[in-house]
């Protein structure tokens, strides 16, 4: 099938702006399994956002769970870009009208203190480049109706990015065991998702290394100051309007977000 990248990008942008999800792109506007074309659609949207005055502040890694990868029939993560207007302050209320069908997941966020420009970087290079880590909640969203997505749909849709919330208790890497750190995500004091660092490619640091290599290979490497959301430590949870969610990660502290009862 011929691919109309502009049409696919336009449909996702319109879904975002109108708050009306679109039909899946796979097999309709993009070939089944064509991840390269999906990233091209993602890049078209990112270029539009930057041209409109937004600033790229980092990137996110998705599909870091082996079980989720198998459900998509892929064997590597994916990624999307983070923009300045996606950042939400810790504990601030998120208007439901900003999102279409949000879900939340707890993650470790890395803030870089140095560039990672070489696709052959090692884990030691990543460790040297990281300034600090903080707990984070990613508010994922999909512009595709009913979350009926394949790897092609989610990559084209900026890896199903929505918003993100960073905690305010920075820690040095040396002070945290990222592989063994436990996580609990609570709603109204009750656990709704639990996990650990090992659920994220065996260690969240591995996710950052993969992302740095991949983005350097694409010619758009990670830079000093970038925020990297390294992937979920446990299952994501559908958002209930009016609810508050708090993620606690051992060694890192906690981060909280809440949602309005109605769209506004």
């Amino acid at each position: 099938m011929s691919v109309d990248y502009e049409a696919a990008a336009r449909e996702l942008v319109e879904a975002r702006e109108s708050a009306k999800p679109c039909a899946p792109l796979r097999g309709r506007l993009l070939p089944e399994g064509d991840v390269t074309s999906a990233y091209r659609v993602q890049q078209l949207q990112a270029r539009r956002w930057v041209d409109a005055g937004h600033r790229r502040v980092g990137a996110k890694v998705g599909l870091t769970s082996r079980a989720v990868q198998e459900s998509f029939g892929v064997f590597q993560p994916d990624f999307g870009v983070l923009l300045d207007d996606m950042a939400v302050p810790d504990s601030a209320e998120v208007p439901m009208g900003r999102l279409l069908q949000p879900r939340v997941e707890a993650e470790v966020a890395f803030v870089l203190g140095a560039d990672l420009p070489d696709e052959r970087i090692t884990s030691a290079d990543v460790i040297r480049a990281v300034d600090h880590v903080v707990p984070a909640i990613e508010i994922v969203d999909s512009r595709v109706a009913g979350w009926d997505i394949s790897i092609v749909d989610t990559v084209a849709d900026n890896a199903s990015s929505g918003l993100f919330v960073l905690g305010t208790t920075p820690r040095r890497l040396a002070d945290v065991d990222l592989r063994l750190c436990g996580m609990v995500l609570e709603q109204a004091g009750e656990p709704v998702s639990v996990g650990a660092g090992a659920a994220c490619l065996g260690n969240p640091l591995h996710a950052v290394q993969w992302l740095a290599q991949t983005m350097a290979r694409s010619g758009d490497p990670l830079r000093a100051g970038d925020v990297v959301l390294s992937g979920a430590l446990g299952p994501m949870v559908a958002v209930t309007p009016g609810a508050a969610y708090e993620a606690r990660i051992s060694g890192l502290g906690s981060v909280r977000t809440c949602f309005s009862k109605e769209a506004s």
Side-chain angles (χ1 to χ4, degrees):
M1 64 181 291
S2 61
V3 182
D4 189 335
Y5 303 104
E6 288 286 352
R10 184 166 55 251
E11 192 157 323
L12 289 168
V13 169
E14 289 174 354
R16 185 188 300 269
E17 294 177 348
S18 68
K20 295 179 181 179
C22 64
L25 304 180
R26 64 186 185 279
R28 187 170 62 88
L29 295 176
L30 296 175
E32 294 272 5
D34 189 350
V35 177
T36 300
S37 290
Y39 274 117
R40 183 166 174 182
V41 172
Q42 180 189 125
Q43 291 163 359
L44 283 173
Q45 294 173 86
R47 193 173 304 129
R48 290 183 183 183
W49 297 327
V50 171
D51 289 346
H54 296 295
R55 181 172 63 91
R56 197 197 86 172
V57 296
K60 60 156 285 183
V61 188
L63 300 180
T64 53
S65 160
R66 296 301 184 194
V68 174
Q69 288 181 8
E70 290 172 5
S71 72
F72 280 109
V74 298
F75 300 97
Q76 67 174 28
D78 69 349
F79 72 90
V81 301
L82 299 177
L83 302 172
D84 58 329
D85 66 333
M86 295 179 181
V88 176
D90 189 7
S91 298
E93 183 177 89
V94 177
M96 287 297 292
R98 288 193 66 180
L99 303 154
L100 280 73
Q101 39 194 353
R103 301 177 179 183
V104 291
E105 55 189 28
E107 309 190 11
V108 176
F110 293 71
V111 180
L112 300 182
D115 296 351
L116 287 170
D118 194 326
E119 65 182 84
R120 296 160 299 192
I121 63 164
T122 66
S123 57
D125 295 322
V126 176
I127 290 169
R128 282 194 295 269
V130 173
D131 184 77
H132 61 273
V133 290
V134 292
I137 293 175
E138 183 182 1
I139 305 170
V140 292
D141 200 8
S142 179
R143 271 52 65 175
V144 178
W147 277 91
D148 180 8
I149 58 174
S150 70
I151 181 65
V152 168
D153 299 296
T154 187
V155 167
D157 191 22
N158 196 30
S160 301
S161 297
L163 307 171
F164 66 94
V165 188
L166 300 183
T168 56
T169 54
R171 298 284 189 268
R172 299 295 179 186
L173 275 180
D175 298 330
V176 186
D177 187 335
L178 291 179
R179 186 176 69 86
L180 296 180
C181 65
M183 178 280 295
V184 59
L185 179 64
E186 298 178 344
Q187 177 188 347
E190 295 295 327
V192 291
S193 177
V194 296
C200 179
L201 291 186
N203 187 317
L205 191 72
H206 298 164
V208 180
Q209 182 181 359
W210 174 87
L211 178 66
Q213 292 170 337
T214 302
M215 295 192 70
R217 194 175 301 121
S218 73
D220 187 21
L222 292 172
R223 300 294 187 189
D226 278 350
V227 173
V228 175
L229 299 181
S230 58
L233 304 186
M236 63 181 176
V237 177
V239 167
T240 299
Y245 300 87
E246 184 165 6
R248 304 178 190 276
I249 302 175
S250 58
L252 282 179
S254 65
V255 58
R256 182 179 181 275
T257 191
C258 58
F259 296 84
S260 66
K261 292 184 177 181
E262 300 176 356
S264 60

